[in-house]
Amino acid sequence: RRSSDLSKKTHGDVKKSTQKVLDTKKDVLTRLKHLRIVIENAEAIDLKQFFDQNYSHLYYVFFENFVIIETSLRQKGHKSQREELDAILFIFEKILQLLPERIHQRWQYHSIGSILKKLLHTGNSLKIRLEGLRLFLLWLQALQYNCSQEQMAMFARVIPGFPSPQIGSAHV
C-alpha cells in the first residue's frame, strides 16, 4: 500500500466517524468512540474547525459519558473504569484546548467548574487530582481575566502555601 492510499482510507474513516459523532440517533458511547477516532486521525486545522462548528454536540457527548463513567466509578471503581475515565478526560482536554474563545466567554462555565471540582476532590487518588489540576490550569488559561473569586479560591486550595484570595477584595 502506498502512503497516499493509507491517508485516503484514514480520511474516509474520519469523515464517517465525523457523521457518527453528530448523529443524535446513536447512543453517547458510540458517539464518543467515533469522536476519539476523529481526534486521533484528523489534521489539527480540521479538528479545530470541527470543534468550533460542533461545540454543542461535542460537549454533550463528553458530558453524558463523563456522568456515566463517574457513576460507574462510584459503584465499582475497577481498573477498566479508570481507563474509561482517562479516555473521557482526553476528550475534555481537547475541548479545553480547541475551544478557548468560547471558554473565555464563560461557555459551559458552571458545568466545567463542577467537573473540575469533582476531579480535584481530596477523596480522589493523587493521579486523578493531578490530572484535574492540569485540566484546571488549562481552563484558567482559557478564561484569563474572566475567572471569578471562586476559581482563585479553588486554585488556592490545590496549591499548598498559595494565599487564599480575600472575598470582596479589589485586587485580582
Side-chain angles (χ1 to χ4, degrees):
R1 239 187 203 204
R2 293 178 317 177
S3 65
S4 63
D5 292 342
L6 183 64
S7 66
K8 283 181 185 171
K9 179 168 180 4
T10 301
H11 179 72
D13 291 345
V14 169
K15 194 167 184 171
K16 282 181 196 166
S17 286
T18 299
Q19 291 167 345
K20 290 179 182 177
V21 169
L22 301 176
D23 185 351
T24 56
K25 292 181 183 115
K26 299 225 176 283
D27 65 279
V28 290
L29 208 53
T30 300
R31 292 172 74 189
L32 177 70
K33 182 182 93 174
H34 288 284
L35 179 54
R36 279 195 67 91
I37 291 169
V38 171
I39 289 171
E40 290 170 355
N41 296 295
E43 295 293 325
I45 188 100
D46 297 334
L47 194 57
K48 171 74 172 138
Q49 185 178 20
F50 177 66
F51 269 68
D52 281 338
Q53 291 173 347
N54 301 291
Y55 62 91
S56 191
H57 282 288
L58 302 179
Y59 194 83
Y60 173 80
V61 169
F62 154 72
F63 185 78
E64 290 300 311
N65 279 284
F66 180 84
V67 170
I68 292 166
I69 291 166
E70 179 191 22
T71 303
S72 176
L73 272 170
R74 283 190 180 164
Q75 291 171 353
K76 300 175 192 143
H78 291 299
K79 189 175 183 189
S80 63
Q81 276 96 14
R82 176 57 206 172
E83 289 165 5
E84 289 173 19
L85 179 62
D86 288 343
I88 198 69
L89 293 181
F90 171 74
I91 304 295
F92 191 34
E93 177 179 1
K94 292 300 175 190
I95 289 169
L96 294 172
Q97 291 173 333
L98 294 171
L99 297 171
E101 300 86 1
R102 292 206 174 275
I103 290 167
H104 179 73
Q105 296 169 354
R106 294 179 128 187
W107 168 74
Q108 295 294 347
Y109 185 76
H110 295 291
S111 177
I112 291 171
S114 174
I115 289 166
L116 290 167
K117 281 181 192 169
K118 290 175 183 184
L119 294 173
L120 292 168
H121 191 276
T122 55
N124 287 333
S125 71
L126 182 59
K127 186 176 183 208
I128 291 174
R129 288 170 51 209
L130 286 172
E131 184 64 11
L133 177 59
R134 198 175 67 71
L135 295 168
F136 177 69
L137 292 174
L138 283 174
W139 187 46
L140 280 184
Q141 184 179 10
L143 283 172
Q144 297 172 6
Y145 57 83
N146 251 352
C147 66
S148 69
Q149 287 285 76
E150 184 184 2
Q151 280 71 49
M152 297 316 288
M154 278 175 72
F155 186 78
R157 283 192 299 276
V158 296
I159 306 296
F162 193 82
S164 188
Q166 301 298 315
I167 304 300
S169 168
H171 295 57
V172 177

